[in-house]
Amino acid sequence: MNKQEEQLNALNDIKKLMDRSSRFISLSGLSGVFAGFTALVGAYLAHGEIANYLNGTYTYGSSIEDLEFNLLKIGFGVLLVALTGGLLLTLRQSRKKNLPFWDRTTKNLLLNLAIPLVSGGLFIVALLLAHPGTYGLIAPSCLVFYGLALINASKYTYTDIRFLGFCEIILGLIAMFNIGYGLYFWAIGFGVLHIFYGTLMYFKYERGN
Amino acid sequence: MKNPIEALNKIFDSRIRLGVMSVLIVNDSISFNELKQLLELTDGNLASHLNTLEQAQYLKVQKSFIGKKTNTTYILTELGRHAFKAHLDALEKMIKGI
């Protein structure tokens, strides 16, 4: 091995170590795809509930609280299924790459994701509890805060996440001007964009290796 | 013309020491165990390289306790940051020059 080749190898090592010690690179693209499909199913179910409510086919009194409760159930169901699936797929990926699943990069990623996400979650809870009649703002707020969370977390994982974050914010802002179509925007942001980005990342980082 | 190889830092000849510096430059502080795991080294081997870097004053050692266990963490000094950057610049020049 000549001197130049040796130095190039050294540079490669440096780059790899920098990435591996500061970025969480076991994030599986498939978990994005899975979350996307779950979100689409959830949006479809929610759409059905709302249509039922509007048609007056709810049998038990048809109060808005019943609808709210059912939508919340769907929402938490989607969150649970998407998180569990994502976690399992990412665990599988970290095992494949022979990297520890829980280390400083995982902690950094989760913490930085959680800051805007928890703020957004509480913001939405406040909308629901203290500002009746503002349902229209829920979907846009979800998208904007989720986008901010992704941009904040992008320093600690693949940088592609950053652009996904921008897309979510833009979508959320457009939705803000089109109140009443929230569910459609929600389905695009959490469903279609996740599937698109997940597939992209799967082919970029997982198929090649 | 000056030989570009002269600008390379002798301390960074070792791949392991170069590795330690690469990790420290992107992390505010890192523990002995995390370094061990990242670089896949034994305790003794890593400790001797860390010692060399400490003597060159490229890194600072901080000892603290987590419960009863000692926790040793390392942070980069300004001198170390500077030396590492200079070494990378020298590498870059060398590769471009050939």
Side-chain angles (χ1 to χ4, degrees):
Chain A
M1 191 160 62
N2 64 37
K3 197 80 190 163
Q4 190 194 5
E5 222 174 301
E6 201 180 308
Q7 304 302 357
L8 275 175
N9 275 338
L11 281 178
N12 251 336
D13 272 6
I14 292 173
K15 198 167 159 275
K16 238 197 280 175
L17 271 169
M18 280 179 169
D19 270 354
R20 225 175 62 189
S21 67
S22 65
R23 290 178 191 277
F24 184 73
I25 51 170
S26 304
L27 194 67
S28 169
L30 290 180
S31 64
V33 176
F34 182 75
F37 277 112
T38 316
L40 285 183
V41 172
Y44 177 76
L45 291 177
H47 186 259
E49 289 288 332
I50 294 169
N52 272 345
Y53 175 77
L54 293 178
N55 292 337
T57 40
Y58 263 32
T59 45
Y60 36 98
S62 282
S63 77
I64 187 92
E65 279 81 19
D66 293 326
L67 176 66
E68 234 176 72
F69 181 68
N70 281 335
L71 290 181
L72 273 179
K73 261 199 310 199
I74 293 171
F76 277 107
V78 166
L79 191 67
L80 199 71
V81 173
L83 279 181
T84 315
L87 197 70
L88 289 177
L89 284 162
T90 299
L91 257 174
R92 195 185 72 138
Q93 184 67 9
S94 69
R95 222 168 274 152
K96 235 197 239 164
K97 287 195 172 181
N98 226 347
L99 289 174
F101 175 71
W102 187 256
D103 63 3
R104 61 161 50 229
T105 62
T106 326
K107 275 179 258 177
N108 275 338
L109 176 66
L110 288 182
L111 179 70
N112 285 287
L113 201 61
I115 296 167
L117 221 48
V118 171
S119 321
L122 295 177
F123 181 87
I124 290 163
V125 168
L127 276 185
L128 274 172
L129 294 181
H131 304 277
T134 52
Y135 309 108
L137 301 181
I138 293 174
S141 317
C142 280
L143 288 165
V144 170
F145 278 105
Y146 181 58
L148 290 173
L150 289 178
I151 289 175
N152 200 41
S154 66
K155 278 167 259 147
Y156 302 97
T157 182
Y158 295 119
T159 40
D160 309 57
I161 296 293
R162 194 177 171 79
F163 297 101
L164 176 60
F166 282 128
C167 295
E168 301 281 4
I169 292 178
I170 291 167
L171 204 62
L173 292 177
I174 297 173
M176 204 65 184
F177 286 102
N178 295 278
I179 302 293
Y181 298 94
L183 193 59
Y184 298 104
F185 283 103
W186 196 93
I188 296 171
F190 287 97
V192 178
L193 279 183
H194 272 154
I195 294 172
F196 177 72
Y197 254 86
T199 315
L200 208 75
M201 285 180 58
Y202 177 70
F203 281 103
K204 192 166 164 190
Y205 298 108
E206 289 162 60
R207 280 302 288 275
N209 309 319
Chain B
M1 205 180 96
K2 204 176 141 214
N3 182 355
I5 294 174
E6 278 169 30
L8 291 177
N9 194 329
K10 277 269 177 276
I11 292 179
F12 299 140
D13 269 357
S14 143
R15 239 354 132 67
I16 293 168
R17 292 198 282 270
L18 201 59
V20 171
M21 296 299 282
S22 319
V23 173
L24 278 174
I25 206 127
V26 288
N27 289 286
D28 292 338
S29 81
I30 196 151
S31 73
F32 186 85
N33 284 331
E34 283 171 321
L35 268 179
K36 201 173 82 171
Q37 197 179 37
L38 274 166
L39 299 168
E40 294 165 355
L41 293 170
T42 60
D43 283 20
N45 197 358
L46 178 59
S48 80
H49 285 294
L50 284 171
N51 216 357
T52 313
L53 288 171
E54 196 193 341
Q55 300 222 313
Q57 292 184 324
Y58 285 177
L59 48 82
K60 266 195 298 211
V61 187
Q62 288 177 325
K63 289 200 195 251
S64 62
F65 284 90
I66 297 179
K68 279 184 178 170
K69 270 189 177 164
T70 50
N71 182 40
T72 314
T73 55
Y74 298 87
I75 55 175
L76 215 58
T77 62
E78 255 333 291
L79 185 69
R81 190 175 295 275
H82 196 82
F84 187 67
K85 288 222 169 103
H87 183 73
L88 286 190
D89 285 344
L91 276 181
E92 198 189 326
K93 257 190 212 128
M94 212 185 95
I95 287 162
K96 273 188 186 157
I98 299 173

